[in-house]
Amino acid sequence: MTNAHPRKAPTRRQLLTRIGTLAGSAALYQAMTSMGHAQGTDFTAPPVLSGAKRGTRVLVLGAGLAGMLSAYELRKAGYQVQILEFQGRAGGRNISLRGGDTVTELGGATQKVGFAPGNYINPGPWRIPYHHQGLLHYCREFGVELEPFVELNHNSWLHSSKAFGGKAVRYREYAADFNGFTAELLGKAIDQHKLDDAVSPDEREHLRTAMRQWGSLDSGLNYRKGVISSECRGYEKAQGGGLNGEPVPSDPFDRKDVLASGLWTWMAFHERLDMQTTMFQPVGGMDMIGKGFNRQVHDLITLNCKVTSIHQDDKGVSVTYNDMNHGGAVREAKADYCVCTIPLPVLSQLDVQVSAPLKAAIMAVPYASSVKLGLEFKRRFWEEEDQIYGGISFTDQPISQISYPSHGYFSRGPAVLLGGYMFGPAAYDFAGMTPQERIEHALAQGEAFHPKHYRKEFSNGVSFAWSRVPWSMGCCSMWSEQARKTHYKALCTMDNRVVLAGEHASYVGCWQEGAILSALDAVTQLHKRAQGAN
């Protein structure tokens, strides 16, 4: 029946909100990546800049990765560079929290991190895809040591409150059964000649063989309990030695439960380009990258500078700021050019003298709300009891996931895991809670994975709500397709003597790589402008 009143197609933001509401924030993030927010990058090498006109001054606003890299490359090219930073630290959203740190949110809620020495949580970026070659290049150049980050762990848990009686199941068990039943259905369709119109006889035989091997099927193309399936999903009684060493095969789940569960969402998550192995993390915390960048330009940075206005004319740029190191005294910095990396939700509230197209672009891009929770436990029970070493367990509950540390394996004593990572509606809900309430919800929901140990072994925790962070007012840029079509070029194009940089000025939003690539493009534009090339 034809609908006389066809529904209007949902906007991208409406679609993402629905995905986040129905399937959880990890599914929302997966949808964001498929819409162009996180993908492989085009970095090949740093720009070759040289021959800066002597005495040309550049003012960089913000000492995050984009700002520090801009300053690094510009000084190398011969420019005189100064960086003004709002915070009392460099690094921007590249941050790690350790014992003794303090987190103060908009509204005044304050948390004192109580982690044991050596433990940390990364509230911002926490992993680096192998194809983010721009960031990896500078990590190598600046001496930042990296180690593998375990994204996919076949022994981790998948949980849906609506499937398998609300009990978590092992990723390997579910994945083996999903692949097995899918292969069986396809294999039988081949044998029943239901695909004859779609594939040639040679292709049918190849496909039949592939399904048998990929899906762990028996000679009759059946996926069933036995040694073959247990070699993928695991045994009921594991292989051993001696007289009682014979293993006992495990029972697959019911096919209807596997297909109806929706847990295949998390299998697809790991197949996205930006989530594929190998992934990396800095040894000792993500802020080791910020510290590595800071070592290159620390002498150029003035901290605790609250920018209030950015003005420009044909002769130069003037920036007014409050010097919080001296009681908020009003000061002015002047330069020939400016690289502005201030997050757009903050920049949109300042007195910024730029063209109408750039001003409209700044106003057009909201930032996502995101919340992360770091929970410290008295011991690594997930390793000792469940043999989980790194990786992520997923749930349809608001916390979305927990991620086990990819470092310090087998160590004794306290350890920190990521106790929740939320985007979208769940993030706004958690941001509206007190820090204590967030921790309580995280513990209650995390018990779905580890009911025996989660509360018993809990020591302390910290939450980080990006929408309540005064210096960013959000986690990362959320370009809509229409906004990108209308405003992206204006946002990234140098406006007289001001050019913007940051992950928002890239197609690699929400990743550090976006900040790197945008900074390199920004300084290249600035250099050409200064050389009179445009």
Side-chain angles (χ1 to χ4, degrees):
M1 180 177 179
T2 303
N3 190 342
H5 301 283
R7 291 183 180 179
K8 184 178 180 182
T11 65
R12 179 180 180 280
R13 189 172 302 172
Q14 290 170 336
L15 178 60
L16 288 173
T17 299
R18 293 175 191 174
I19 293 171
T21 301
L22 296 173
S25 44
L28 172 60
Y29 184 76
Q30 180 180 349
M32 290 169 58
T33 67
S34 68
M35 292 180 177
H37 269 258
Q39 51 192 301
T41 70
D42 60 359
F43 176 87
T44 54
V48 179
L49 309 178
S50 62
K53 294 180 182 179
R54 187 170 182 178
T56 304
R57 298 167 299 164
V58 179
L59 187 60
V60 176
L61 304 181
L65 297 194
M68 290 191 286
L69 181 58
S70 297
Y72 172 78
E73 291 292 350
L74 288 169
R75 177 160 69 173
K76 194 166 64 171
Y79 292 92
Q80 295 181 9
V81 185
Q82 179 185 5
I83 305 175
L84 301 181
E85 166 56 40
F86 175 80
Q87 295 187 74
R89 55 173 285 276
R93 281 165 277 179
N94 178 283
I95 184 173
S96 300
L97 296 177
R98 297 178 174 81
D101 289 340
T102 299
V103 177
T104 301
E105 302 179 351
L106 289 170
T110 299
Q111 302 170 76
K112 184 72 173 289
V113 184
F115 297 160
N119 287 341
Y120 63 87
I121 191 69
N122 298 315
W126 54 308
R127 49 195 169 182
I128 307 170
Y130 71 89
H131 50 76
H132 285 191
Q133 289 294 309
L135 179 58
L136 294 175
H137 166 84
Y138 284 103
C139 284
R140 183 166 54 247
E141 184 164 322
F142 298 161
V144 179
E145 184 181 358
L146 302 177
E147 62 188 358
F149 174 92
V150 179
E151 172 73 18
L152 169 58
N153 186 326
H154 287 74
N155 209 37
S156 63
W157 297 100
L158 299 178
H159 169 257
S160 169
S161 56
K162 304 176 183 66
F164 302 108
K167 294 183 179 180
V169 298
R170 296 285 190 183
Y171 181 99
R172 57 176 164 78
E173 295 175 342
Y174 180 83
D177 290 357
F178 180 86
N179 293 341
F181 289 131
T182 301
E184 178 182 342
L185 292 171
L186 187 53
K188 290 182 176 178
I190 295 170
D191 279 359
Q192 294 169 11
H193 301 285
K194 294 181 179 180
L195 298 181
D196 287 2
D197 293 338
V199 294
S200 68
D202 285 346
E203 289 176 320
R204 288 197 296 273
E205 187 54 38
H206 291 316
L207 189 57
R208 190 180 191 278
T209 301
M211 289 304 97
R212 181 178 175 184
Q213 294 182 9
W214 173 67
S216 301
L217 309 182
D218 63 17
S219 59
L221 295 183
N222 299 301
Y223 181 73
R224 61 184 181 84
K225 178 179 180 178
V227 173
I228 298 175
S229 61
S230 294
E231 280 296 306
C232 287
R233 72 183 322 277
Y235 289 91
E236 179 68 25
K237 175 182 175 296
Q239 300 152 302
L243 293 175
N244 297 315
E246 182 179 5
V248 176
S250 58
D251 289 300
F253 300 124
D254 287 341
R255 186 177 73 189
K256 61 181 178 59
D257 293 334
V258 170
L259 297 180
S261 69
L263 295 180
W264 30 262
T265 298
W266 313 127
M267 293 174 59
F269 184 83
H270 296 295
E271 297 303 315
R272 300 291 317 167
L273 176 60
D274 52 316
M275 295 298 166
Q276 295 172 8
T277 55
T278 303
M279 303 188 81
F280 301 97
Q281 64 179 13
V283 175
M286 186 57 72
D287 65 349
M288 294 300 171
I289 293 180
K291 292 176 180 178
F293 278 60
N294 185 50
R295 287 193 294 269
Q296 317 306 313
V297 295
H298 63 90
D299 57 314
L300 307 179
I301 302 173
T302 304
L303 301 172
N304 298 307
C305 297
K306 183 180 180 181
V307 172
T308 57
S309 70
I310 305 170
H311 289 179
Q312 62 172 326
D313 56 29
D314 292 336
K315 295 182 180 179
V317 180
S318 63
V319 172
T320 304
Y321 65 96
N322 296 115
D323 183 353
M324 308 311 292
N325 291 316
H326 296 87
V330 178
R331 305 194 189 281
E332 185 180 53
K334 292 179 176 287
D336 297 293
Y337 301 97
C338 174
V339 178
C340 178
T341 71
I342 296 173
L344 299 184
V346 177
L347 185 62
S348 64
Q349 300 182 37
L350 306 183
D351 174 15
V352 183
Q353 189 181 62
V354 293
S355 66
L358 178 53
K359 188 163 289 188
I362 293 170
M363 300 294 293
V365 187
Y367 271 33
S369 177
S370 178
V371 175
K372 281 188 177 180
L373 300 109
L375 306 180
E376 185 174 68
F377 296 88
K378 301 170 187 175
R379 64 185 181 93
R380 294 174 176 253
F381 59 84
W382 52 89
E383 295 180 4
E384 297 171 5
E385 311 295 336
D386 288 325
Q387 295 80 53
I388 296 177
Y389 303 95
I392 301 172
S393 289
F394 290 102
T395 177
D396 65 344
Q397 299 174 106
I399 62 168
S400 176
Q401 59 194 274
I402 63 175
S403 179
Y404 309 94
S406 293
H407 62 280
Y409 298 136
F410 308 109
S411 60
R412 300 185 183 278
V416 174
L417 56 71
L418 179 67
Y421 182 18
M422 288 142 279
F423 272 95
Y428 284 112
D429 288 344
F430 266 69
M433 301 176 186
T434 66
Q436 294 78 16
E437 288 171 337
R438 295 172 196 156
I439 298 300
E440 172 56 34
H441 279 269
L443 289 173
Q445 295 174 34
E447 286 185 295
F449 301 117
H450 304 285
K452 294 181 180 179
H453 304 293
Y454 220 62
R455 286 188 181 274
K456 178 182 177 182
E457 301 292 346
F458 175 71
S459 173
N460 67 92
V462 64
S463 61
F464 203 93
W466 280 99
S467 60
R468 304 186 70 82
V469 173
W471 43 269
S472 69
M473 299 178 68
C475 175
C476 56
S477 59
M478 283 285 288
W479 281 97
S480 68
E481 293 176 3
Q482 184 58 47
R484 196 180 286 279
K485 180 179 179 180
T486 306
H487 298 291
Y488 182 76
K489 184 176 181 180
L491 189 86
C492 298
T493 301
M494 189 163 190
D495 187 278
N496 192 12
R497 292 175 176 269
V498 176
V499 64
L500 270 55
E503 53 83 21
H504 47 263
S506 79
Y507 275 81
V508 201
C510 296
W511 290 98
Q512 295 174 107
E513 182 78 352
I516 299 300
L517 299 184
S518 72
L520 297 180
D521 182 73
V523 299
T524 300
Q525 290 188 64
L526 188 154
H527 185 63
K528 289 180 178 178
R529 169 73 170 80
Q531 297 296 298
N534 54 16

